[in-house]
Amino acid sequence: MAAATTTASAFKWPWQYDFPPFFTIQKSLNTKDKQLEAWARLVIDYAQHNKIYSLDIAEATTSELFNNQKLNRRLSTDGVNTVLQYLEQKKLIEFTDNGRTRFHIFWRRPDVWANMIYQWAVENAFINTPLTLYEITHGDDTTNESFHNLEREILMKALTCLEEQRRAQLMNIGGDNEGVKFI
Amino acid sequence: MNRLSWYTPGESTEELLCQAGHVGIYEGDLKQTNFEQGTASLTMQRIIWADSSDPDRRLVLHHSLVISMEKHHKSMFSKGGKIVVKLEKPKAGNIGPVNSSHYETLRLVFRHGGEDDFFKKYEDAVRRKTWQRSSSGSSSSGSRASSNLRSVGISGIERRLAENHQKTHETITQAFDDMSKLMETAREMVALSKSISEKVRSRKGEISEDETIAFKSYLLSLGVSDPVTKSTFVGSDSEYFQKLAKEISDVLYEHIKENGGMCALPEVYCRINRARGMELLSPEDVMNACGALSRINSPLELHRFPSGVLVVQLKSASMDSTVGQTLEFVSKLERASANELAESLGITVILARERLLAAEESGLICRDDSIEGLLFYPNRFME
């Protein structure tokens, strides 16, 4: 899990988090839809607040996200899987391995990250200037940007989007100095 | 000992009169014997002695050989109370443990008592001389001599099995005779209860209040006064089920009204049969009759919950009102379990659970399944 820039305690939990039935997957279909909607919103908001880009299922199941110690309630493993299936269906997460043990959380979709990065490149006159991937996510020029510390896999997805739109060209990927040139 | 013969399965009319354990058989005044301890069984024809250590080792002493007998109570020196039997010479061809003996008496020693009763019945059996009337004859008679071998091996086992089978058959036949007698009596009781109730109705003024109450309590304990039976409706099942439905409706309406408006089918089955007394209904008949409730304009109806649980409920208690009532209860407590609802409405936990599940299905309440058990809350997700 990526390091949180703000403390978890500052996160404002929704009312559902303090409602015991929230931690039991409901049987009635209409109720279940509303419940999963609320879970999806919570997972995305929590990930955004804590700048979490990817999660391990085992880690997630034991995290405070799915465990309310004050209520003495936790979402079961089956429940967590149900929520993740719903998020995957809504294209808000993507599993990174065949074993489905780890997933990316898209609190911003890759195309949104792509637009933000391209906007930054235009504003800072980096068009036609080769940049390393490290510079984009860890450089001094991006400390105030929301994509600072962005995980490599998500950055690659965003840059691939730009490449498909012919607004960027990836260079030396897999080599020592991986880079990109914005067009 | 030559008066004793090995056991062969019995005479056709043989029945057990008396039995005593820990009995030894001694010859004359001898102190030693090979037949120290066994069970002596007295029938109308003979005494059968079975060895305690080997029950298949059995001896027979026929009453036809008895000349006289006397009883001696237990003394300080004797091993127990005894019966001394003076015997005739055995018939030719008698096969027993000993071929010849110069003693004319046998001693039956009762180490654990019981000789008094045994002696009395033994004397009576010998006096009656039943063996002379027995068509099959005793095993000491000439006609039986050839077959009078000790029953051993497979044939012996087969013979014993056949005996047991016969005995079981007789017992069952007798049991069913008793049952039909009981049924007859029950019918008489029902007729009696009917006539009593009519008398109570017709002689309202002449019978005191206390007597009326007493009569009514007797009638109540008898259950339904005139139960509907299938035999009355030959070939007309639907009419039978409708009449039965009417009876169920009459018997259960008050109970259902006072207990949450519904009653599970197993309870309906128990209550109606409890009320009918002897004319019991099969579960299938009860179910068909409950299905016929809707056809007889009854205030009750058969309802099936989504889980498959069947209940008889008040028609007025529609699912909407039931579900509304359940939501009201859950909202009042903020959270509720099936046990709490059952206690509050006076219904079974199974029915309470079904009501909660129906309310959940309607989206009015939602579940919290945790180590505390299954609890239900008002459904805030839909707000």
Side-chain angles (χ1 to χ4, degrees), chain A residues 94-139:
Chain A
E94 188 180 88
F95 286 96
T96 60
D97 59 337
N98 291 336
R100 295 169 72 86
T101 59
R102 193 168 183 81
F103 55 92
H104 290 309
I105 303 175
F106 302 134
W107 39 273
R108 283 205 180 110
R109 288 198 317 278
D111 59 324
V112 176
W113 283 122
N115 286 337
M116 289 173 77
I117 292 165
Y118 190 78
Q119 198 63 42
W120 166 81
V122 170
E123 284 170 9
N124 290 276
F126 288 126
I127 300 296
N128 292 323
T129 308
L131 291 168
T132 63
L133 300 192
Y134 183 85
E135 278 179 283
I136 296 171
T137 53
H138 296 86

Side-chain angles (χ1 to χ4, degrees), chain B residues 245-269 271-272 286 290 293 298-303 310-318 322 325 344-348 351 355:
Chain B
K246 174 84 175 74
E247 189 180 296
I248 288 171
S249 190
D250 294 343
V251 171
L252 293 177
Y253 177 68
E254 284 304 320
H255 165 74
I256 290 174
K257 201 167 105 177
E258 287 162 19
N259 290 279
M262 60 174 66
C263 185
L265 213 54
E267 193 185 340
V268 170
Y269 171 74
R271 281 183 176 275
I272 192 68
V286 172
C290 290
L293 284 167
S298 160
L300 304 176
E301 65 180 357
L302 184 67
H303 174 75
L310 287 163
V311 296
V312 171
Q313 64 174 21
L314 295 174
K315 267 186 186 160
S316 56
S318 68
T322 305
Q325 200 183 356
S344 161
L345 297 178
I347 57 176
T348 64
L351 287 189
R355 287 179 78 142

